[in-house]
């Protein structure tokens, strides 16, 4: 079994748990922190879209929104824009188009550390501006560690700066979480 198979199996199970389907981190950022995003967005991709609520909102707002996740069980069963969902692994990402904006909220801590540089490389190859929200605390579901990459903000800044000009933005959540806006160098 490959690393991708192992990771996909974890999330196929996690997405079947109703409590795992509650939060929509990217959508929450879009609604509460609109000023961190480019003022005009025509094409956007939610990287690690989960249930797909952010890219559904984009489409409802007239943005050409897409969602990417590697679990077939992530997207809401009644999702109105299923045709704009791409099943793909972020560290193997190959999309047919480039996007003005990529949002990757509460995803990078789920990526095995050995795959972080390759994941960022693939994201940078497909998006201009990227917004990352990254948690730095453990998360377990069904007896499995879902946050294998727990690193401080400086480590993430260094990783992101290999691909973009990076700004760390304030984020007060009561937990150790980081928010970054990345733009082309």
């Amino acid at each position: 079994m490959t690393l991708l198979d192992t990771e996909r199996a974890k999330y196929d199970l996690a997405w079947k748990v109703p409590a795992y389907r509650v939060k929509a981190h990217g959508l929450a950022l879009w609604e509460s922190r609109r000023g961190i995003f480019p003022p005009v967005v025509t094409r956007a991709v939610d990287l690690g879209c989960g249930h797909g609520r952010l890219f559904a909102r984009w489409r409802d707002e007239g943005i050409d929104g897409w969602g990417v996740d590697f679990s077939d069980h992530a997207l809401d069963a009644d999702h109105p824009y299923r045709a704009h969902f791409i099943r793909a692994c972020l560290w193997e990402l190959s999309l047919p188009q480039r996007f003005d904006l990529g949002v990757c909220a509460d995803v990078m801590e789920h990526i095995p550390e050995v795959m972080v540089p390759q994941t960022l490389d693939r994201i940078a190859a497909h998006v201009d501006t990227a917004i990352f929200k990254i948690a730095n605390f453990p998360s377990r579901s069904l007896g499995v560690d879902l946050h294998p990459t727990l690193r401080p903000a400086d480590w993430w800044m260094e990783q992101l700066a290999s691909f973009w000009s990076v700004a760390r933005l304030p984020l007060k959540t009561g937990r150790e979480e980081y928010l970054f806006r990345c733009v082309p160098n």
Side-chain angles (χ1 to χ4, degrees):
M1 188 177 265
T2 68
L3 178 61
L4 175 56
D5 294 331
T6 302
E7 292 299 302
R8 182 174 281 135
K10 277 196 308 195
Y11 292 97
D12 283 348
L13 290 174
W15 281 111
K16 291 179 182 179
V17 175
Y20 195 73
R21 304 187 67 79
V22 173
K23 294 180 181 175
H25 300 284
L27 179 59
L29 283 174
W30 184 257
E31 291 175 342
S32 67
R33 302 286 300 271
R34 187 64 182 91
I36 69 171
F37 296 94
V40 176
V41 177
T42 57
R43 181 176 290 146
V45 61
D46 185 356
L47 301 153
C49 70
H51 36 57
R53 295 174 193 150
L54 175 58
F55 84 88
R57 170 66 63 82
W58 286 335
R59 296 204 69 80
D60 289 345
E61 292 180 9
I63 295 169
D64 184 14
W66 292 78
V68 174
D69 206 289
F70 73 167
S71 174
D72 287 326
H73 302 286
L75 201 62
D76 285 338
D78 61 347
H79 198 283
Y81 303 107
R82 185 167 289 280
H84 293 90
F85 172 74
I86 299 167
R87 182 178 178 258
C89 172
L90 293 182
W91 61 79
E92 295 178 355
L93 192 62
S94 179
L95 299 174
Q97 57 194 352
R98 188 154 182 87
F99 295 86
D100 307 331
L101 173 65
V103 174
C104 193
D106 283 64
V107 174
M108 290 305 298
E109 65 273 17
H110 294 267
I111 303 294
E113 188 171 329
V114 67
M115 301 311 294
V116 166
Q118 186 172 325
T119 300
L120 294 175
D121 176 67
R122 299 313 312 141
I123 292 171
H126 292 92
V127 305
D128 295 328
T129 297
I131 303 294
F132 290 91
K133 180 176 174 272
I134 303 172
N136 188 31
F137 53 82
S139 176
R140 293 188 65 78
S141 180
L142 303 171
V144 177
D145 182 12
L146 297 180
H147 289 180
T149 303
L150 300 178
R151 292 297 197 147
D154 290 345
W155 186 87
W156 285 108
M157 284 282 293
E158 184 178 316
Q159 299 301 308
L160 295 166
S162 296
F163 302 96
W164 295 278
S165 292
V166 184
R168 182 173 177 197
L169 306 174
L171 182 66
K172 294 182 182 181
T173 64
R175 302 184 92 168
E176 191 169 353
E177 298 179 278
Y178 319 122
L179 184 61
F180 303 100
R181 181 178 44 228
C182 303
V183 297
N185 287 324

